Amino acid sequence: MKPDFKQVEIVKSFLQGENDDWLFSQSDGIRRQVFGDGVFIRGIIEFSNYCKQNCSYCGLRVPNKEIARYRLTSEEILFCVEIAEKQGIRTIVLQSGEDPYISDEWIAGLIAEIKKKYSIAITLSLGERSFETYKLWRNAGADRYLLRIETFNRKVYENARKGHYWEDRLKCIQMLKELDYETGSGFMVGLPGETIDSFADSILELTKLNLDMIGIGPFVAHPETPFKKESNGDVLLTLRTLAIVRILNPLANIPSTSALESAQKGARLTGLKVGANVIMPSLTPERVKVLYNIYPGKNATRDTTEYSIEAVRKMIGEAGLHWSDSVGGSPNWLNRKQLENTL
Ligand code: SAH
Ligand code: SF4
């Protein structure tokens, strides 16, 4: 009889290494059943590293005076989108810190302009905002939104994001669903204070959110943050988590994250073999990309965008998979739409 992954004890035992070979072959099998051997590519444009927040884990937090800050112009962003289109990338992700100097309207204008010029899906990853702002951006043409819940452990959350409440983050995710975004969330593995029990619960709680996209990466300690002395999240534990999440969420788009690669060279390739079906190369211009230093190793090389894309192509080949030229919507979201239309 197959193990029931809806039971917390089963999740816990696989997180602890009950049977990795079996776990990884199951998750890879499910990924292949749903997505074949295609990998969806998302070009990520990190357009500002200014942030008004104070997250204890992130190098962009406001008290970090050691990094030079940058903000791209709309012309520079459009140039990145142009490269994406030329390279056959069908989704771009616009990500930034919570930059207080960029207005909601400016972002809405940018979204509308991209949608007018290019046949490309837009994912936003711009943090916690109001319902009105999410609505403005959705109406401007944004298709998807990524907002990680970071952890399901309230205490761990409130220690990692001082002055913020976990419930507010959850509310944002609910708003995004209400506004019909393809909605993504996820968490870091190994945040200080997390235990294996709370973590197993988190996987089941995350699954209950019925997400279209799920991002999971190890916590990587940044030297300019209060968490500088904490240990990094374990890579094998992250891969096991990814595999279990795939088994529980067969229709979700799941990236193999760059944090995996930062924590251990080659781990992003392994992620593709154990259930991930998405890869997100950075399209941020070489001039500034090293400054988007959320965690050590993130955008660490000054490689050109073309070189980074070529490296991703190679990695996909090495994983025995192929670069999909599909726009890569989540089957979970498409099913939901179909169901709504039949009601
Ligand atoms: N400002 C936005 C988007 C940028 S941060 C937001 O916070 O949602 C994107 C993600 O990077 C975060 O959700 C977090 O999960 C991840 N991240 C931040 N610091 C990290 C660290 N030290 N190690 C690993 N991942 C980190
Ligand atoms: Fe800002 Fe996001 Fe970093 Fe928090 S995780 S400091 S919100 S960029």
Side-chain angles (χ1 to χ4, degrees):
M1 213 173 66
K2 276 194 179 176
D4 178 5
F5 279 90
K6 290 199 175 76
Q7 289 182 24
V8 71
E9 286 310 317
I10 301 281
V11 170
K12 204 173 135 187
S13 71
F14 277 94
L15 284 176
Q16 289 171 316
E18 164 88 15
N19 188 341
D20 284 341
D21 289 345
W22 184 87
L23 175 69
F24 293 148
S25 78
Q26 284 292 306
S27 57
D28 182 47
I30 291 175
R31 176 243 188 278
R32 284 173 192 273
Q33 243 174 38
V34 178
F35 298 96
D37 61 3
V39 178
F40 298 145
I41 318 296
R42 322 303 196 191
I44 176 159
I45 304 169
E46 294 129 333
F47 63 89
S48 166
N49 70 349
Y50 283 87
C51 188
K52 65 178 184 192
Q53 299 296 356
N54 202 10
C55 307
S56 305
Y57 41 83
C58 175
L60 304 191
R61 67 201 301 269
V62 90
N64 182 8
K65 305 286 180 234
E66 299 300 315
I67 48 164
R69 303 281 171 165
Y70 73 89
R71 183 180 294 125
L72 300 183
T73 63
S74 46
E75 288 71 31
E76 286 173 308
I77 298 172
L78 286 167
F79 185 68
C80 298
V81 182
E82 182 84 32
I83 296 182
E85 169 130 296
K86 283 204 181 110
Q87 294 276 343
I89 293 177
R90 306 283 313 280
T91 298
I92 53 141
V93 181
L94 296 175
Q95 191 182 80
S96 71
E98 291 186 23
D99 184 337
Y101 301 103
I102 297 184
S103 74
D104 296 348
E105 290 70 27
W106 186 86
I107 291 174
L110 178 70
I111 295 167
E113 197 169 346
I114 295 172
K115 289 304 262 195
K116 197 168 85 195
K117 284 200 178 140
Y118 303 96
S119 160
I120 212 158
I122 300 182
T123 305
L124 302 177
S125 174
L126 306 174
E128 282 183 37
R129 309 286 173 138
S130 68
F131 185 82
E132 286 66 38
T133 302
Y134 287 147
K135 189 171 172 187
L136 176 76
W137 294 340
R138 179 77 178 115
N139 289 341
D143 303 278
R144 311 179 185 143
Y145 204 104
L146 299 172
L147 184 73
R148 288 192 182 169
I149 191 99
E150 313 297 5
T151 171
F152 280 80
N153 184 322
R154 315 299 193 268
K155 274 207 188 119
V156 168
Y157 185 88
E158 280 153 31
N159 181 42
R161 303 196 79 232
K162 292 228 166 22
H164 289 267
Y165 296 102
W166 182 87
E167 283 74 14
D168 293 335
R169 193 98 172 160
L170 181 65
K171 260 186 221 142
C172 286
I173 294 168
Q174 285 158 347
M175 289 181 212
L176 294 165
K177 287 190 105 174
E178 198 181 317
L179 288 164
D180 211 19
Y181 278 97
E182 276 184 56
T183 304
S185 192
F187 43 59
M188 282 174 270
V189 175
L191 273 177
E194 196 87 69
T195 64
I196 198 82
D197 287 297
S198 71
F199 195 57
D201 280 335
S202 291
I203 293 178
L204 295 177
E205 290 299 315
L206 184 83
T207 302
K208 285 189 199 146
L209 293 179
N210 188 20
L211 294 159
D212 305 312
M213 307 176 279
I214 300 177
I216 293 159
F219 158 71
V220 184
H222 191 295
E224 298 299 332
T225 65
F227 285 174
K228 63 184 171 200
K229 294 213 173 99
E230 303 291 345
S231 323
N232 288 351
D234 185 77
V235 169
L236 184 54
L237 181 64
T238 309
L239 292 168
R240 286 175 186 149
T241 306
L242 198 160
I244 297 168
V245 166
R246 164 58 72 211
I247 292 170
L248 286 164
N249 300 267
L251 304 183
N253 279 325
I254 302 181
S256 190
T257 54
S258 46
L260 264 173
E261 192 67 23
S262 298
Q264 187 181 301
K265 208 171 172 325
R268 200 156 61 139
L269 170 63
T270 313
L272 286 177
K273 292 181 178 170
V274 303
N277 70 309
V278 173
I279 204 108
M280 300 170 70
S282 170
L283 306 183
T284 305
E286 300 93 86
R287 181 174 68 77
V288 290
K289 77 195 273 192
V290 292
L291 302 176
Y292 198 76
N293 188 235
I294 293 184
Y295 46 82
K298 168 82 183 157
N299 290 358
T301 57
R302 276 184 198 273
D303 296 336
T304 64
T305 300
E306 284 77 2
Y307 183 90
S308 306
I309 295 173
E310 203 37 53
V312 159
R313 264 187 210 284
K314 223 172 114 207
M315 186 196 310
I316 293 171
E318 277 171 40
L321 301 166
H322 79 259
W323 168 296
S324 163
D325 53 13
S326 155
V327 73
S330 149
N332 196 42
W333 187 84
L334 294 170
N335 279 359
R336 219 166 47 238
K337 288 289 97 192
Q338 261 172 10
L339 201 68
E340 279 167 22
N341 290 339
T342 55
L343 289 176

